[in-house]
Amino acid sequence: MTAYHTVVVGTDGSDSSFRAVDRAAAVTADSGAQLVIVCAYYPSSRGEVEKAQDVLRDEAYQVVGSAPAEDTLQSARDRAIKAGATDVKTVAVVGEPVEALRKVVSEHSADLLVVGNRGLNTLAGRILGSVPSEAARKSGVDVLIVHTT
């Protein structure tokens, strides 16, 4: 079997998603693959930004726009390097998680997508679908669903 060349993993900053990052980092460390860590986010509205600036002043950047996603990505990158990954990129993408993952998989010609299993065993996940199950159905590449819960 050929080793993976580019591995994409999604994170939302949760402990569960960080465990998926750890597993993806281990896979890339073993194969010498590039690791691309993705965090999807929704931009804040102008009203939300102004309200945050009124309350938080100069610290508003920490809770609006892409700053929380960038912080999540930096934490995930640090974990990945600690787990042995050597070639790590991070990408913040505006939009919903599955479409963000699909976009990054395509743009980076990834051959493996790693996601945590969070949501697979919930009632809402079974009725509405979950990020892991939807990503597995729509990604077009191998998907590793990591048992994180």
Side-chain angles (χ1 to χ4, degrees), residues 30-100:
D30 288 345
S31 66
Q34 178 181 67
L35 178 61
V36 182
I37 306 171
V38 181
C39 182
Y41 72 97
Y42 293 104
S44 300
S45 70
R46 183 178 187 88
E48 290 169 326
V49 170
E50 290 171 358
K51 187 175 181 179
Q53 287 172 333
D54 287 345
V55 175
L56 300 173
R57 305 269 183 242
D58 292 337
E59 302 300 313
Y61 76 92
Q62 294 179 348
V63 296
V64 297
S66 65
E70 295 295 340
D71 288 345
T72 295
L73 289 168
Q74 185 59 48
S75 296
R77 184 180 192 286
D78 293 345
R79 286 180 74 112
I81 291 170
K82 187 174 180 180
T86 57
D87 184 0
V88 182
K89 287 186 177 183
T90 59
V91 182
V93 180
V94 174
E96 67 92 19
V98 173
E99 288 308 312

